[in-house]
Amino acid sequence: MGKVVTTLTITNRADQSAAARGLIPEAQIRSIALDNVLIDTGATTLCLPPQAIAQLGLDLLKEVDVITAAGLKKARIFQDAKISLLGREGTFECLELPGEGDPLLGVFPLEALGIELDLRNHQLKVLPTESNQTYLTLVTRLPPGNANLRLVLHGSLRTIFFQPSSI
């Protein structure tokens, strides 16, 4: 199995919001482009070294326990990291890596952006947003009387929804 790396842009979403409200000029929006970001299916979120977080000026959200190869450790989570990747954008939390570790992109941002890993070709694949092949799903409340449900899997186990059972 090979590794997949990508280039992505991360922007401080709080800066963008402040600029949109006229509080700071657009030229002051902090943003960085990162090359060779490892796509890590063992990571759940965006993971950045302290230097990148400092450059972006991201705000601390909380401190959490994380499981690493070295065991249970404390880590800091920062907020408002807007990822731009392959024409898709989304705002996510960011876990601070210890020391000068290489940036990692985990599975939650990939799924939210509609991007999947193609290990055979060592690349990322953008999923469709249109037609019945879309990765996006809207789950709504079922009408009363539909207590019997069966699980329906759509796509490649990316989306799970329920529909009334005929049983």
Side-chain angles (χ1 to χ4, degrees):
M1 209 186 290
K3 69 179 185 175
V4 177
V5 296
T6 192
T7 297
L8 59 88
T9 300
I10 304 170
T11 304
N12 183 321
R13 178 66 186 108
D15 284 357
Q16 281 186 319
S17 179
R21 289 182 279 134
L23 301 174
I24 63 171
E26 283 194 26
Q28 288 184 8
I29 296 172
R30 291 167 284 189
S31 183
I32 58 174
L34 297 173
D35 295 320
N36 299 312
V37 176
L38 180 65
I39 305 303
D40 186 350
T41 58
T44 54
T45 191
L46 173 66
C47 304
L48 294 175
Q51 179 186 12
I53 292 170
Q55 278 183 272
L56 289 164
L58 300 177
D59 290 329
L60 179 66
L61 178 63
K62 59 189 170 187
E63 217 174 272
V64 296
D65 292 328
V66 295
I67 298 173
T68 70
L72 191 64
K73 302 282 183 188
K74 288 282 187 195
R76 298 189 311 165
I77 303 282
F78 291 81
Q79 60 189 347
D80 293 327
K82 182 177 177 184
I83 295 173
S84 300
L85 176 63
L86 300 175
R88 303 274 172 91
E89 293 184 333
T91 303
F92 302 94
E93 293 176 355
C94 164
L95 186 134
E96 181 181 44
L97 292 168
E100 294 302 314
D102 293 327
L104 307 171
L105 185 58
V107 294
F108 291 170
L110 287 176
E111 291 222 356
L113 294 171
I115 298 171
E116 73 179 5
L117 195 54
D118 177 356
L119 287 175
R120 180 174 292 139
N121 297 307
H122 305 284
Q123 63 186 17
L124 295 173
K125 176 182 171 187
V126 177
L127 299 172
T129 58
E130 297 163 358
S131 77
N132 65 349
Q133 298 299 315
T134 182
Y135 77 97
L136 298 167
T137 301
L138 175 63
V139 178
T140 60
R141 185 180 300 201
L142 293 171
N146 287 310
N148 293 324
L149 300 174
R150 68 184 168 109
L151 182 64
V152 177
L153 301 176
H154 175 73
S156 58
L157 298 177
R158 194 171 11 276
T159 305
I160 299 174
F161 65 97
F162 294 93
Q163 72 181 30
S165 173
S166 59
I167 298 175

